[in-house]
Amino acid sequence: MGNDDAQADNERAVANDAIDPFAGEQKEFLEASLRVLRENPVLVRPSCDVIQYCAQERIMSDIELFVASREYSKVFVKTPTALVTILVNNGYLSELTYVDGEAYSGSIDDLLADEGISEDAIIEHRYKSTPSGQEIAETFLPAKLISKLFDECPEHTNAFMAVLRMCVDGDLLTKEDIALALEGKDLVPHDARTGLPKMLPSYFTDKLERAGVLEWKHGWRITSEGRAFLEKAKL
């Protein structure tokens, strides 16, 4: 990039900041929020489910019942309260406070110090997904993630499909089962000079898990979204 191009980019950045001085902060916050799910794939499905469930205001007891009604990976051990706390802290959900059914605009600290609120007042906390939370949940829909995965790694299409088909029968497959099957089908690329595999078979299961179509429950198994993808792939 030449000096003129770099200067033009800097000028555009300055102009954008002048229009919206918080744009940079919002982008950094969004990226930080995205990292929470990218770095913790086990949180993706329950987080996105709760975000979408909270498109309307929900109380904690409703969220607890909703999460209990869902089936998630055994590795997911967060309580609904802990999960909601993560979602609130990362801007996926907003926490709303009501006093005797009326919205309270202050913070929790304000509420505790508010002498105008009687001791027998009914205080209720509700949770609602934020616009950025809904946007983030959309980006983690398995249908989008699996499509993106196949677009970005077309050379591994056969391996990804083989793993999904291995897991579709409902049997929990071990890491060794999948490794042997992929090696047997010659789907793990090897270095021509050393003869060693260029990647471990776990590379494929990790990618599929992050796409929401495979999950670990004392063994690998396909998710409902993965089954839907395979059904569609047959068309």
Side-chain angles (χ1 to χ4, degrees):
M1 180 183 292
N3 291 335
D4 291 343
D5 291 336
Q7 183 177 352
D9 285 344
N10 287 335
E11 290 174 352
R12 280 194 291 271
V14 171
N16 288 337
D17 286 344
I19 295 171
D20 184 356
F22 300 108
E25 294 179 9
Q26 290 170 347
K27 183 177 180 181
E28 288 179 8
F29 182 78
L30 185 61
E31 282 300 316
S33 297
L34 280 168
R35 280 198 297 273
V36 172
L37 296 187
R38 286 173 178 159
E39 295 173 3
N40 299 277
V42 72
L43 292 180
V44 172
R45 289 189 68 203
S47 295
C48 291
D49 284 349
V50 169
I51 290 168
Q52 292 177 320
Y53 178 66
C54 291
Q56 298 178 359
E57 293 180 13
R58 308 286 184 178
I59 58 175
M60 183 60 75
S61 59
D62 287 342
I63 297 173
E64 289 173 341
L65 289 172
F66 173 75
V67 172
S69 71
R70 311 288 289 180
E71 189 174 357
Y72 297 120
S73 168
K74 295 292 185 184
V75 183
F76 174 67
V77 294
K78 298 289 186 185
T79 64
T81 300
L83 178 62
V84 166
T85 299
I86 292 172
L87 297 179
V88 170
N89 289 343
N90 285 277
Y92 301 117
L93 296 180
S94 57
E95 183 175 8
L96 309 170
T97 303
Y98 289 81
V99 177
D100 291 330
E102 297 293 327
Y104 185 81
S105 59
S107 67
I108 299 299
D109 289 337
D110 294 333
L111 180 66
L112 294 174
D114 195 332
E115 297 180 356
I117 297 176
S118 64
E119 292 184 359
D120 58 351
I122 299 174
I123 299 173
E124 184 179 62
H125 300 288
R126 303 178 193 172
Y127 301 89
K128 190 175 191 304
S129 54
T130 63
S132 59
Q134 292 185 19
E135 180 181 345
I136 287 172
E138 285 290 323
T139 68
F140 281 96
L141 288 175
K144 289 189 176 181
L145 291 179
I146 193 66
S147 177
K148 182 180 178 182
L149 175 61
F150 277 73
D151 287 343
E152 291 180 346
C153 306
E155 70 277 17
H156 299 316
T157 294
N158 290 338
F160 290 138
M161 292 298 290
V163 172
L164 288 177
R165 287 176 178 138
M166 276 184 261
C167 297
V168 78
D169 292 331
D171 295 331
L172 295 176
L173 298 183
T174 66
K175 299 173 184 178
E176 291 74 19
D177 290 334
I178 291 177
L180 287 172
L182 289 176
E183 289 286 355
K185 296 175 183 291
D186 197 26
L187 291 174
V188 178
H190 288 68
D191 185 280
R193 183 177 62 83
T194 65
L196 297 174
K198 291 183 178 180
M199 58 191 63
L200 296 173
S202 58
Y203 165 87
F204 303 102
T205 53
D206 178 69
K207 290 286 188 181
L208 292 168
E209 181 185 26
R210 289 177 181 274
V213 292
L214 204 67
E215 64 184 355
W216 177 262
K217 284 201 168 185
H218 303 300
W220 288 112
R221 74 173 194 177
I222 198 168
T223 65
S224 57
E225 293 86 355
R227 289 183 184 278
F229 170 76
L230 283 183
E231 286 297 320
K232 186 176 180 181
K234 292 177 183 178
L235 299 179

